[in-house]
Amino acid sequence: MVSVGDAIRLRQAGLRVTAARLAIMQTVRGGDHLDVEAIHRGVCDRVGQVSLQAVYDSLNALQRGGLLRRIEPAGSPTRYEARVGDNHHHLVCRECGRVTDVDCAIGHAPCLEPVSNAGFVVDEADVIYWGICPDCHTVTAEVAGLD
């Protein structure tokens, strides 16, 4: 189902409204920090064949327009989310790569101030917490006989 709100947001960001862009926004919103391959599959399921390059191009445009957020955890594929504008952070599982949102440590952007800003005007802090998610922790404990 096409969201009229998504079409309005695209126009407000100065972007053309296309079926692929609408499908990308729906796919990202319906997923959980999806990588490009998963987004591409979701878009093709919604609108038929769309090239992977078109998805990359649209993701870049949507990210530049402030409609999607790109996150790039080290050693993990680039992922996208629809939660934008609130300076939240992420938890990443070292075992399975699962990514989960975590609210800002202090509550207002940038929520963390550097010791020295080197003359920069800081407007955002991007924090990634690393650990083991509950599912992987349970499996590890079972394998080790700790459970």
Side-chain angles (χ1 to χ4, degrees):
M1 179 156 113
V2 173
S3 165
V4 173
D6 285 341
I8 291 169
R9 283 187 281 282
L10 282 166
R11 285 188 192 100
Q12 288 172 336
L15 299 171
R16 268 190 13 246
V17 177
T18 66
R21 286 179 177 166
L22 291 169
I24 288 170
M25 292 177 71
Q26 291 171 328
T27 300
V28 171
R29 191 173 37 256
D32 186 19
H33 303 94
L34 300 175
D35 64 22
V36 177
E37 297 290 331
I39 294 168
H40 181 246
R41 285 190 302 275
V43 170
C44 289
D45 289 346
R46 284 180 164 81
V47 298
Q49 188 56 39
V50 175
S51 75
L52 185 58
Q53 186 60 52
V55 170
Y56 272 107
D57 292 345
S58 291
L59 285 168
N60 286 329
L62 293 167
Q63 189 263 327
R64 281 191 315 271
L67 300 174
L68 296 180
R69 183 174 178 192
R70 176 177 39 221
I71 60 170
E72 302 176 80
S76 179
T78 299
R79 297 163 184 256
Y80 291 85
E81 65 181 344
R83 185 176 170 185
V84 296
D86 67 351
N87 200 55
H88 67 280
H89 307 301
H90 297 95
L91 295 161
V92 180
C93 179
R94 291 184 188 280
E95 296 291 323
C96 69
R98 176 177 157 193
V99 178
T100 302
D101 289 338
V102 61
D103 288 330
C104 195
I106 297 176
H108 57 79
C111 91
L112 298 173
E113 298 289 336
V115 174
S116 169
N117 67 10
F120 284 67
V121 176
V122 178
D123 62 4
E124 182 178 2
D126 188 12
V127 176
I128 296 180
Y129 300 95
W130 293 89
I132 307 297
C133 73
D135 293 340
C136 290
H137 180 73
T138 299
V139 169
T140 302
E142 288 173 359
V143 168
L146 301 174
D147 197 29

